[in-house]
Amino acid sequence: MKVVVIGGTGLIGSKVVAALTEHGHEAVAASPSTGVDTLTGEGLAEALAGASVVVDVTNSPSFADDAVLDFFRRSTEQQLKAENEAGVAHHVALSVVGTDRLQAIGYFRAKQTQEDMIRESGVPFSIVRATQFFEFAQGLADSATQDGTVVAAPIKIQPIFSGDVAAAVARTAVGAPVNGIVEVAGPDTFAFEDFLRKGLAVQGDPRPVVTEPQGLYWGAALQESDLLAGPDASIGATSLAEWSARQA
């Protein structure tokens, strides 16, 4: 089948395209660099011609509250409009585990808006919610750094390898629409502090990491389990230790 991967040249999208191609599908990478702009709709109709599935793995270039909401609202609106016109049978979107529990954070309010638009569109859909990626440890640490020290929130995290996320997205894309949410998470659960410390070590980043009982996650107070997947989540095959060893 023809699967159009919106954001198909990025970290996840390129892996989704490779996985689909390996299994004999026609996977088309759609992004501004290939002439497709989901904010304006430019190139969408041409890319979607003959497509059975659209996979959206895009992300906003800015995480500022207004900018990220505008990005997901406009991008999703353009995609769904083009899909309805093209007769696309399945819309797959990558989202984040805990989105509905993290509404104090602007980014997750934007992701919730995206999810709601998909549900209300009339296009059969599957939403793949993933936990945070191993590769994002340094960015998470940056967001929590105060005076050179990473101040971690007292929460748990179940991080996952980006390749395992891409594999889950690709599997979902070639399956029947679930018209709901599929969760995917890593095989191990860590205290947030421990994950950040291990992730920074892989990058040779010497910043100290401490847990602050009143520490915040992207500016919000969370419950300990807010970032953890539910019991029915699909579990990725790659552990943090295995991924770290590959980076050496």
Side-chain angles (χ1 to χ4, degrees):
M1 66 176 70
K2 179 180 177 180
V3 182
V4 176
V5 183
I6 309 293
T9 57
L11 173 66
I12 299 297
S14 59
K15 291 180 171 67
V16 173
V17 168
L20 291 169
T21 301
E22 183 180 346
H23 286 86
H25 300 285
E26 180 188 356
V28 177
S31 69
S33 65
T34 66
V36 178
D37 187 339
T38 60
L39 296 181
T40 65
E42 179 183 358
L44 265 176
E46 294 81 0
L48 267 56
S52 299
V53 183
V54 169
V55 173
D56 180 9
V57 293
T58 57
N59 207 355
S60 174
S62 170
F63 285 8
D65 288 3
D66 290 344
V68 70
L69 178 60
D70 180 67
F71 175 87
F72 282 118
R73 182 177 282 154
R74 289 170 59 195
S75 178
T76 303
E77 181 178 32
Q78 292 288 352
Q79 290 179 60
L80 295 172
K81 177 176 179 289
E83 288 169 28
N84 271 303
E85 293 172 352
V88 170
H90 189 186
H91 180 94
V92 179
L94 179 60
S95 192
V96 187
V97 163
T99 287
D100 51 332
R101 300 188 291 268
L102 304 175
Q103 292 298 291
I105 303 171
Y107 180 85
F108 294 100
R109 291 195 296 272
K111 291 299 288 183
Q112 188 67 61
T113 295
Q114 177 193 28
E115 291 188 9
D116 292 344
M117 292 175 69
I118 292 166
R119 288 188 181 90
E120 296 163 6
S121 70
V123 177
F125 71 93
S126 302
I127 295 170
V128 180
R129 284 185 177 176
T131 52
Q132 289 288 357
F133 307 163
F134 296 158
E135 293 90 340
F136 289 174
Q138 198 161 36
L140 291 171
D142 291 345
S143 74
T145 296
Q146 301 175 16
D147 298 324
T149 296
V150 182
V151 181
I155 55 177
K156 295 187 181 301
I157 192 167
Q158 198 174 351
I160 186 169
F161 170 47
S162 63
D164 290 340
V165 175
V169 170
R171 286 196 304 271
T172 303
V174 298
V178 301
N179 293 316
I181 292 168
V182 175
E183 287 191 332
V184 58
D188 302 305
T189 298
F190 301 91
F192 191 40
E193 173 185 339
D194 291 339
F195 168 61
L196 293 178
R197 188 176 291 112
K198 291 175 186 294
L200 291 178
V202 170
Q203 302 297 326
D205 189 323
R207 278 178 289 176
V209 184
V210 298
T211 295
E212 164 56 52
Q214 304 304 317
L216 304 178
Y217 182 83
W218 293 105
L222 303 189
Q223 298 297 311
E224 184 183 53
S225 62
D226 278 349
L227 300 184
L228 302 184
D232 295 328
S234 174
I235 301 301
T238 309
S239 70
L240 180 59
E242 290 167 337
W243 174 81
S244 298
R246 295 176 195 166
Q247 312 311 304

